Amino acid sequence: MSQALKGVRILDFTHVQSGPTCTQLLAWFGADVIKIERPGVGDITRGQLQDIPNVDSLYFTMLNHNKRSITLDTKNPKGKEVLTALIKQCDVLVENFGPGVLDRMGFPWEKIQSINPKMIVASIKGFGPGPYEDCKVYENVAQCTGGAASTTGFRDGPPLVTGAQIGDSGTGLHLALGIVTALYHRTHSGKGQRVTAAMQDGVLNLARVKLRDQQRLAHGPLKEYSQFGEGIPFGEATPRAGNDSGGGQPGRILKCKGWENDPNAYIYFITQAPVWEKICDVIGEPDWKTHPDYAKPVARLPRLNEIFARIEQWTMTKTKFEAMDILNKDDIPCGPILSMKELSEDKSLRATGTVVEVDHPTRGKYLSVGNPIKLSDSPADVKRSPLLGEHTDEILREVLGFSDHQVADIHDSGALDPPRKQAAE
Ligand code: CAO
């Protein structure tokens, strides 16, 4: 078995979350990912949200597995020479700097292309071309500007951001697909190209069903939304819909046994039309199978609050796992609300490598999310994230073929190391 992207070399100029998610995926698939970091500083997340003093944070370690780290000051003339040499040796450059940073560094797309016409240059920015193209963007800004926040939360509350990092990790996934597509295109075109993914666009893509609803509004109320059954008129824009299902099969989050003390004693319950009769039997309302107010999906739409309240009476008599077992036997779609604690202890996720324990030289053992995408012939082994500059000399020798003497010269130039502290300090 071999790794699918073995032989692909990535120059990883990414930092924080969006870009690192992308290059971590490529590394899991077997690409040689060389992360360039500022001497002495590195990716800012190494020091953010630190749970153990002076140890790379979980934020960093969980986003930078299977990579090598080289420290390089790309504003230093010698550092620029090393960067140029690396561009010649790599297939893809990935970056998520603020707008214009790569140009200011002296490496605009045209220059990179002239150094290596086969190179693919992949970028994440907050926005695509337009009025906001120069703005710096973080996760929640993207959730707000991509339509997720205006459609998340409850109608009578403020817009809400979600815990899933759809702006950062979501856009990283989009970019990874763009890179692999450009690599495939290069196999017959022989040329590199630019790949860009804007966080606003990535979030909007993930919120696609809400743009669907925006257009449906022109033709009448959104009947599967709770607000329809409550008789509350719709406004001009897709409203927030609480926990209503985003699809054609109505669903809600319902309380289960123990909800008074356990914030996650809930289940998501979907009243899928083909199993409606089974639902009626399970909850003890066999008459609803034939009653004109409940038998057909369209008749149920104005009564969803009443129907889910009745189903909840039943779910409250069961734990979320008991309910799941009973409902699954009848193919009724449902899902317990699982906490991070429960997920971290889940045996099947450990068995598939979706949750992995990783050992780190300064941190010790920690849990991470492994590769969620499984290839039958190309397993992804999760290897710990690199220490800052751990592979600097190795990369200069192995990838660039520099001699010991050349490596020593580059160290002397100050391009690889933080400025030396004054003796008085
Ligand atoms: N050597 C020398 N300088 C380096 C360097 C290196 N190895 N690596 C980075 N730098 C310098 C850059 O040249 C740049 O300097 P200038 O501003 O003088 O040109 C600076 O470090 C990095 O700038 P930045 O704008 O990327 O970083 P920031 O911390 O100010 O902003 C962020 C962070 C994330 C807001 C911004 O990078 C951004 O908007 N990125 C695009 C959108 C994105 O990915 N956001 C998601 C981040 S995760 O939530």
Side-chain angles (χ1 to χ4, degrees):
M1 295 214 271
S2 67
Q3 290 189 293
L5 292 182
K6 195 170 165 42
V8 174
R9 193 165 265 155
I10 312 269
L11 201 49
D12 181 9
F13 250 139
T14 68
H15 64 159
V16 201
Q17 185 185 162
S18 62
T21 322
C22 166
T23 49
Q24 176 170 260
L25 268 175
L26 301 174
W28 279 332
F29 289 132
D32 178 15
V33 174
I34 298 173
K35 184 168 173 110
I36 299 189
E37 297 185 81
R38 225 173 334 173
V41 185
D43 187 324
I44 192 167
T45 60
R46 284 185 186 270
Q48 281 179 340
L49 310 177
Q50 273 187 348
D51 52 335
I52 307 173
N54 305 318
V55 168
D56 285 339
S57 69
L58 286 166
Y59 196 9
F60 177 84
T61 55
M62 291 176 72
L63 285 162
N64 290 284
H65 291 112
N66 297 50
K67 304 181 184 178
R68 299 200 274 177
S69 165
I70 175 172
T71 48
L72 187 68
D73 180 352
T74 55
K75 289 182 175 163
N76 170 305
K78 202 74 183 170
K80 286 186 196 298
E81 281 177 31
V82 174
L83 179 57
T84 305
L86 281 167
I87 289 172
K88 285 184 186 152
Q89 295 302 322
C90 290
D91 300 286
V92 187
L93 184 154
V94 191
E95 61 93 17
N96 67 310
F97 288 130
V101 167
L102 215 49
D103 296 359
R104 288 201 291 280
M105 212 181 261
F107 289 87
W109 156 246
E110 297 74 17
K111 172 151 181 196
I112 296 172
Q113 232 198 353
S114 72
I115 299 169
N116 179 358
K118 290 182 78 175
M119 176 159 263
I120 290 155
V121 176
S123 304
I124 289 178
K125 297 288 167 259
F127 295 93
Y132 303 123
E133 63 189 322
D134 290 332
C135 297
K136 291 187 175 184
V137 167
Y138 284 105
E139 170 69 47
N140 287 347
V141 174
Q143 288 199 26
C144 293
T145 57
S150 71
T151 53
T152 303
F154 288 90
R155 202 184 51 254
D156 52 1
L160 216 59
V161 294
T162 82
Q165 305 285 281
I166 56 176
D168 279 338
S169 290
T171 310
L173 267 166
H174 282 87
L175 193 74
L177 178 60
I179 290 170
V180 175
T181 306
L183 278 168
Y184 178 72
H185 183 255
R186 198 181 72 171
T187 59
H188 42 90
S189 72
K191 284 190 347 199
Q193 59 181 305
R194 284 183 92 169
V195 180
T196 51
M199 293 168 73
Q200 180 184 41
D201 303 15
V203 171
L204 180 57
N205 185 32
L206 297 176
R208 175 176 294 258
V209 298
K210 298 299 177 179
L211 185 58
R212 172 201 68 192
D213 291 349
Q214 179 64 41
Q215 295 169 87
R216 289 172 62 219
L217 270 178
H219 304 285
L222 306 171
K223 292 184 179 169
E224 76 283 12
Y225 280 52
S226 307
Q227 119 175 43
F228 173 68
E230 290 159 13
I232 296 167
F234 285 78
E236 286 185 345
T238 308
R240 294 188 268 289
N243 291 317
D244 295 348
S245 153
Q249 308 286 353
R252 297 281 172 83
I253 288 183
L254 305 177
K255 290 171 183 158
C256 290
K257 197 193 236 172
W259 66 274
E260 298 90 338
N261 301 313
D262 177 355
N264 295 305
Y266 290 83
I267 193 164
Y268 202 90
F269 193 110
I270 297 176
T271 54
Q272 194 199 17
V275 289
W276 174 246
E277 297 199 350
K278 291 176 178 172
I279 294 170
C280 297
D281 286 335
V282 165
I283 63 168
E285 293 290 352
D287 292 350
W288 282 7
K289 290 192 268 188
T290 48
H291 194 293
D293 285 351
Y294 305 98
K296 295 269 179 291
V298 100
R300 292 196 288 274
L301 286 175
R303 300 179 177 79
L304 288 177
N305 279 3
E306 178 208 338
I307 289 168
F308 280 111
R310 175 64 190 94
I311 298 173
E312 192 170 57
Q313 277 177 10
W314 177 82
T315 56
M316 283 165 70
T317 65
K318 309 278 178 273
T319 70
K320 60 188 176 186
F321 296 113
E322 288 166 352
M324 173 90 172
D325 284 347
I326 295 167
L327 298 170
N328 264 338
K329 283 198 186 83
D330 281 332
D331 285 335
I332 299 167
C334 61
I337 307 304
L338 295 180
S339 68
M340 280 298 151
K341 182 170 186 300
E342 287 164 329
L343 288 165
S344 64
E345 292 162 357
D346 186 303
K347 288 197 177 61
S348 50
L349 292 176
R350 296 285 186 110
T352 58
T354 296
V355 175
V356 284
E357 192 174 75
V358 186
D359 206 358
H360 186 275
T362 54
R363 153 172 298 283
K365 289 192 166 36
Y366 66 96
L367 281 189
S368 194
V369 184
N371 192 346
I373 305 167
K374 322 286 186 199
L375 270 62
S376 63
D377 286 353
S378 305
D381 292 329
V382 177
K383 299 199 187 90
R384 71 163 174 87
S385 59
L387 301 174
L388 179 60
E390 184 175 346
H391 306 98
T392 301
D393 289 5
E394 175 186 303
I395 289 163
L396 294 178
R397 291 199 177 91
E398 246 185 43
V399 179
L400 300 181
F402 288 164
S403 65
D404 290 351
H405 180 70
Q406 285 172 304
V407 172
D409 260 4
I410 303 169
H411 274 287
D412 285 345
S413 74
L416 305 176
D417 308 293
R420 289 205 181 87
K421 290 198 171 152
Q422 299 297 316
E425 277 182 328

